[in-house]
Amino acid sequence: MSKTATLEINGQKHEFPLITGTENEVAIDIKTLRGATGGVTTIDPGYKNTGSCESGITFLNGEEGILRYRGYAIEDLADKADFLEVAYLLIFGELPTKVELEKFHADIKEESVVDDDIKKILDAFPKAAHPMGVLSSLTSALTAFNPSSVNVDSEEDMYKTVVKIMGKFPVLVAWAMRKKSGLPLNYGDDSLGYVENILKMMFGKPNGEYTQNKILVNALDKLLILHADHEQNCSTSTVRIVGSSHAGLFASLSAGISALWGPLHGGANQAVLEMLEAIKEDGGDTKKFMAKAKDKADPFRLMGFGHRVYKNFDPRAKIIKVAADEVLSDLGIEDPVLDIAKGLASEALSDEYFVKRKLYPNVDFYSGIIYRAMGIPVEMFTVMFALGRLPGWIAQWKEMRARKEPIGRPRQIYIGENHREFKTIDNR
Ligand code: ACO
């Protein structure tokens, strides 16, 4: 293959190098485009064709349905590793040894307490506040309680910051839920595993022991692994771009949480359940809603179907569908909303409109189902996504700073008014 791409503008030819990734993805390196062409730029709203960085963290091939973290297949990680191992892998680049993992967990536990004044901030929120807004605010507030900035060139400093946020974030997640449910703000139990502890912090009642359910621990562990990174998606790009101004990690994460909140991104898992509830309220006619989704005059979309990069079955959805079936059958749950979900999935998978556009159920379709079965309130679903995505965001932020990437600052094509004479207020 040629090593350059030639661009001809007004009869003038310009050569740009091609770069090839380790999985043979090819990109035209246009870093010198504006200088070489006298100001010509590119336009690509939504960045469907634009690589924002070179990254060694996650490989994703949407056409073939492949997802790997640091070279390891998502199927192997979901089957053989736990969330903390995967977090370590993403952030530090290699699977931890037993000793490294134990130390990582012990260091996280040391940091699993937040300043008590955080409670005052949480207290000031109305109970009806969306927990994603609360989580974003509290993550940002952590900056105030941990003001020293990270020296990104110091491995030790970086490590300390990583364990700090890995320890404190689940507390904020659990408190965001407990605030909504009117439960007292508590801490977990250091003798438990990372995921077990999260469940205890979320569901533990002040008047009784919390009993762990292995099926739920396993399902949550898998969900967190599957959500842990997804290369340059909307929230991750946000974390990188905010961090590119050398804003701190916690501030960048807070921005990432806000980006994740939207229904076209992480908010889809909440939107899925709300859609299923609406279908149930309407009488449960899935065919009617399938027709609405296909009607171009109707803005309705089947939430939890389709994906920006997977134009094939989302590999995460395959894994999590099995976990969802396990949870539903083991817990013996009968729920008309979940029956509607099953009906919709099977109809869409054989419907020409969906098949032709390669619109398959995505991971959020099934994650919402599991969260509902676990008794997690709908508004917390996206918060659970954020909990899983935390190590990915950290890894991407760390990589961006280590590679000394320049500040993110896209160009635009101005389509507004040309220069106009200013009219004073009396003359308008
Ligand atoms: N229901 C009905 N039609 C759909 C859907 C859907 N969920 N998704 C896409 N389409 C149709 C579009 O109308 C379009 O049809 P056309 O070619 O006839 O115009 C075609 O499929 C392509 O759709 P785009 O919007 O161009 O696809 P894009 O890649 O930009 O969007 C997105 C992907 C945003 C995820 C979209 O599929 C969607 O809105 N899905 C529902 C929301 C959702 O589940 N989001 C979660 C994403 S996963 C995540 O964030 C972890």
Side-chain angles (χ1 to χ4, degrees), residues 86-369:
V86 171
Y88 188 100
L89 170 72
L90 282 166
I91 298 168
F92 301 110
E94 294 296 337
L95 284 167
T97 60
K98 223 170 171 201
V99 173
E100 283 166 339
L101 187 61
E102 274 165 15
K103 178 173 178 346
F104 189 45
H105 194 192
D107 293 337
I108 287 173
K109 284 186 215 168
E110 277 296 303
E111 287 291 350
S112 298
V113 175
V114 298
D115 193 297
D116 221 42
D117 279 348
I118 293 264
K119 287 183 181 166
K120 291 186 195 150
I121 302 175
L122 184 59
D123 205 37
F125 280 103
K127 224 180 195 168
H130 195 289
M132 278 300 270
V134 172
L135 184 66
S136 171
S137 305
L138 294 187
T139 306
S140 183
L142 282 182
T143 315
F145 294 94
N146 302 272
S148 61
S149 59
V150 197
N151 173 5
V152 291
D153 296 321
S154 153
E155 268 182 38
E156 197 194 332
D157 225 36
M158 224 24 255
Y159 180 83
K160 277 189 187 154
T161 308
V162 168
V163 294
K164 202 175 259 180
I165 192 67
M166 288 292 295
K168 297 184 192 323
F169 198 73
V171 178
L172 303 184
V173 164
W175 284 7
M177 180 169 132
R178 295 181 77 85
K179 159 93 188 178
K180 233 182 154 40
S181 336
L183 286 166
L185 306 180
N186 66 348
Y187 280 102
D189 176 347
D190 266 2
S191 68
L192 296 173
Y194 190 76
V195 172
E196 288 169 329
N197 194 33
I198 290 169
L199 283 168
K200 180 168 181 192
M201 281 197 288
M202 286 171 69
F203 291 108
K205 297 263 167 59
N207 54 348
E209 275 297 299
Y210 176 73
T211 316
Q212 298 283 343
N213 176 328
K214 278 210 167 88
I215 294 155
L216 297 191
V217 175
N218 176 47
L220 181 58
D221 202 66
K222 277 203 170 57
L223 272 168
L224 297 178
I225 292 173
L226 297 178
H227 284 90
D229 196 48
H230 215 230
E231 52 118 297
Q232 307 312 315
N233 54 80
C234 179
S235 55
T236 301
S237 303
T238 302
V239 169
R240 282 184 90 122
I241 206 163
V242 172
S244 77
S245 73
H246 293 194
L249 176 61
F250 301 166
S252 307
L253 293 172
S254 165
I257 295 165
S258 299
L260 187 72
W261 192 354
L264 297 190
H265 189 15
N269 54 16
Q270 174 175 340
V272 168
L273 251 290
E274 284 168 352
M275 175 191 75
L276 295 173
E277 295 272 12
I279 298 176
K280 189 188 122 202
E281 289 304 307
D282 192 72
D285 182 358
T286 48
K287 293 207 166 49
K288 177 175 160 190
F289 284 86
M290 288 287 289
K292 271 166 76 64
K294 295 190 278 183
D295 179 0
K296 292 286 163 204
D298 190 326
F300 176 79
R301 278 191 169 194
L302 217 48
M303 297 314 288
F305 286 79
H307 196 276
R308 169 52 68 80
V309 289
Y310 289 119
K311 304 301 174 193
N312 197 325
F313 217 92
D314 180 341
R316 303 168 302 170
K318 266 190 207 164
I319 300 168
I320 213 59
K321 183 183 181 304
V322 177
D325 289 342
E326 250 171 51
V327 168
L328 295 185
S329 75
D330 285 333
L331 296 183
I333 287 173
E334 293 200 10
D335 181 344
V337 165
L338 301 180
D339 293 338
I340 290 173
K342 282 187 196 157
L344 268 185
S346 73
E347 279 170 45
L349 286 169
S350 57
D351 186 283
E352 202 206 321
Y353 173 98
F354 284 86
V355 172
K356 202 172 131 210
R357 288 169 181 76
K358 301 192 166 135
L359 299 169
Y360 299 102
N362 57 49
V363 67
D364 287 326
F365 186 73
Y366 296 108
S367 65
I369 291 174

Side-chain angles (χ1 to χ4, degrees), residues 40-65:
V40 174
T41 180
T42 56
I43 186 148
D44 185 20
Y47 312 119
K48 287 191 177 189
N49 303 281
T50 300
S52 60
C53 60
E54 290 171 65
S55 176
I57 301 170
T58 289
F59 173 66
L60 165 50
N61 181 326
E63 281 72 30
E64 290 177 31

